[in-house]
Amino acid sequence: MLERNEGFANLAAGYLFPEVAKRRREFQAKHPDAKIISLGVGNTTEPLTKHITKAMTDYAKGLGTSKGYSGYGDEQGLTELREKIAKVIYPDLINADEVFISDGAKCDIARIQTLFGRKTPIAVQDPAYPVYIDGSVISGAAGKANAKGAHKNVTYLPCTAENNFFPDLTKIKPNTLIYFCSPNNPTGVASTKKQLKALVDYANKNGCIIIYDNAYFAFIRDPSLPKTIYEIPGSKKCAIEINSFSKLAGFTGVRLGWSVVPSALKFADGTPIRQDWNRVMTTLFNGASNIAQHGGLACLDEEGQKETKELVDYYLENAKLIKEALTSKTFKDANVKVYYTGDSPYLWVHFPGWKSWDIFDKILNDCNIVTTPGSGFGPSGESYIRFSSFGHRNDVKEACKRLLKFKF
Ligand SMILES: *Cc1c(COP(=O)(O)O)cnc(C)c1O
């Protein structure tokens, strides 16, 4: 018999989304007529835009001809797409050869963990997107969990209303790999220039590397907020940015993302990190789908940019409607606080005196709405609920109507 990778034994049971699905199923079985609406998932719902769809269908049709056929491409991605990302997303900040195309941000977050030594300490925001920790647990870097579920080699950085959802950086030990997500999933908070400057300065001073998950940058509407970590001076010496077309253009199912590994980033022994990342991409990955990459090219055209802005605006409008419902009198009287600035698809909502799962059950029961309990993203998420604005407008409007009738 073969030995199991002990990282898997150290994983916490996949509790959050299976448990949400189970409670939803049980409720539906008991109330077959209830028309349940989900404001729970982080999955896009609206169709791909016309220009992008046309580019992908045209390319796919071409693949069926001798002239248009192509097999494997460069593992790092189409040069044209790398150049376009550099030019459109990182004007004058990043070179095309620092951009690597992938099949999605989650996949890159998982692969990137192969770059660092097994004993590299990790720091994460609490609450956080689960992949940072779970990926580190599987790779062995996070170590065993204690009785409370906290992993030995992970520093949890509470992000709460008290600290404006920006962590106390002094808790991070030197030479740590810091996962940082902004605009954040689940809190929806987008960090300011000043905050990111503090993060970058701290990382540079203490030999840390930041994995900056920027999957929601397209939702930023406040012009004073940075749209990439590379707007911060000094970031090219300490930050890898992971990004995606998923939330930008509804590519959650199409699958396309990218990472930026600046040439100036080095390991302790002086090896450029970019060199090893190039090796990971060529050895463990064989390039993103060529159809998806042509969709990505179209997305960054003028036409595509206009369309995807409208697509993101649609979700932002949903979020505005949900915020209005959650700031109505019933919720105000119960001291419910909605943390939402309009720069993300998620509303992070505090229900003082409630446990996340209890308020989840009550909203499911009274409004037939599925949400996501904040405690599932980490201990600092307790008493919070994440409302997602990914949904069809009619469903969102109906959900808001039901929320307006909610009683504590
Ligand atoms: C949705 C999401 C992603 C995107 O992942 P893909 O694999 O590109 O679909 C990345 N990070 C966070 C925090 C997300 O919520």
Side-chain angles (χ1 to χ4, degrees):
M1 300 268 267
L2 300 187
E3 259 175 50
R4 185 186 187 199
N5 168 356
E6 63 185 33
F8 284 92
N10 293 335
L11 271 182
Y15 179 65
L16 179 60
F17 289 104
E19 180 65 20
V20 167
K22 179 172 160 264
R23 291 189 191 207
R24 177 185 181 146
R25 251 189 342 264
E26 285 171 1
F27 181 82
Q28 189 78 77
K30 267 194 223 152
H31 307 88
D33 295 335
K35 195 184 160 286
I36 298 177
I37 296 174
S38 177
L39 298 180
V41 288
N43 197 357
T44 47
T45 55
E46 301 312 299
L48 296 173
T49 68
K50 281 206 175 66
H51 180 66
I52 297 174
T53 307
K54 180 168 185 316
M56 285 199 282
T57 16
D58 286 354
Y59 185 79
K61 275 191 191 136
L63 287 175
T65 67
S66 321
K67 205 167 148 249
Y69 178 76
S70 62
Y72 290 126
D74 291 340
E75 293 96 337
Q76 300 88 343
L78 291 172
T79 304
E80 200 188 344
L81 181 57
R82 299 173 80 190
E83 284 171 351
K84 207 160 184 178
I85 288 175
K87 189 168 151 229
V88 174
I89 315 272
Y90 308 100
D92 301 321
L93 295 172
I94 284 297
N95 290 327
D97 65 358
E98 296 170 311
V99 177
F100 295 81
I101 311 299
S102 74
D103 52 348
K106 195 182 197 176
C107 324
D108 271 348
I109 292 162
R111 273 189 293 263
I112 213 137
Q113 303 183 332
T114 59
L115 288 179
F116 302 95
R118 284 290 159 267
K119 292 197 186 101
T120 305
I122 313 285
V124 293
Q125 289 155 297
D126 166 25
Y129 186 54
V131 192
Y132 314 137
I133 294 180
D134 287 355
S136 314
V137 175
I138 292 174
S139 77
K144 286 201 188 324
N146 66 17
K148 282 188 175 157
H151 290 272
K152 197 165 154 251
N153 216 14
V154 178
T155 303
Y156 297 81
L157 305 167
C159 295
T160 59
E162 287 71 41
N163 60 18
N164 287 318
F165 303 98
F166 187 80
D168 176 359
L169 299 173
T170 62
K171 296 270 187 302
I172 305 171
K173 288 176 237 139
N175 309 315
T176 288
L177 184 63
I178 306 167
Y179 290 93
F180 199 91
C181 179
S182 172
N184 190 271
N185 178 8
T187 67
V189 172
S191 299
T192 64
K193 270 204 173 110
K194 198 171 155 214
Q195 288 171 329
L196 290 184
K197 174 82 171 40
L199 176 68
V200 163
D201 288 350
Y202 187 90
N204 276 326
K205 204 164 149 221
N206 294 282
C208 300
I209 297 250
I210 303 161
I211 307 286
Y212 190 74
D213 184 342
N214 199 19
Y216 294 100
F217 79 98
F219 285 76
I220 295 176
R221 287 291 178 269
D222 176 345
S224 76
L225 293 172
K227 289 190 117 182
T228 155
I229 188 80
Y230 300 117
E231 287 180 37
I232 311 301
S235 56
K236 280 162 93 172
K237 286 204 204 101
C238 65
I240 292 172
E241 183 167 298
I242 307 271
N243 217 320
S244 172
F245 286 87
S246 284
K247 316 298 166 29
L248 165 65
F251 274 32
T252 40
V254 174
R255 310 303 306 141
L256 191 68
W258 73 90
S259 56
V260 180
V261 184
S263 304
L265 266 181
K266 303 258 165 66
F267 289 111
D269 71 356
T271 311
I273 294 183
R274 190 190 164 281
Q275 180 184 314
D276 284 3
W277 183 239
N278 190 58
R279 190 67 201 260
V280 168
M281 293 307 269
T282 52
T283 308
L284 305 179
F285 183 61
N286 231 351
S289 145
N290 47 17
I291 302 172
Q293 292 193 74
H294 280 82
L297 279 170
C299 171
L300 299 176
D301 283 348
E302 220 169 283
E303 180 80 27
Q305 287 184 56
K306 192 174 147 270
E307 283 180 349
T308 48
K309 182 176 176 293
E310 283 165 14
L311 185 64
V312 170
D313 279 341
Y314 180 94
Y315 296 123
L316 287 170
E317 179 65 27
N318 283 350
K320 212 172 117 196
L321 297 175
I322 300 167
K323 181 173 178 175
E324 276 167 21
L326 290 171
T327 45
S328 61
K329 189 169 183 320
T330 322
F331 294 97
K332 267 211 181 108
D333 287 350
N335 287 320
V336 169
K337 233 172 145 200
V338 181
Y339 293 94
Y340 185 69
T341 59
D343 301 291
S344 129
Y346 302 120
L347 299 98
W348 191 236
V349 185
H350 189 225
F351 291 81
W354 288 79
K355 291 270 187 215
S356 295
W357 278 111
D358 293 339
I359 194 76
F360 167 91
D361 282 336
K362 184 160 169 66
I363 295 171
L364 176 58
N365 195 65
D366 295 6
C367 307
N368 306 341
I369 297 171
V370 174
T371 57
T372 312
S375 56
F377 297 99
S380 295
E382 186 58 277
S383 297
Y384 284 86
I385 288 281
R386 187 191 76 174
F387 285 81
S388 163
S389 67
F390 291 121
H392 303 310
R393 181 66 45 78
N394 284 344
D395 290 339
V396 168
K397 280 190 172 159
E398 170 63 23
C400 290
K401 244 192 246 165
R402 294 181 195 172
L403 285 170
L404 286 171
K405 285 192 213 138
F406 182 82
K407 285 196 182 60
F408 282 93

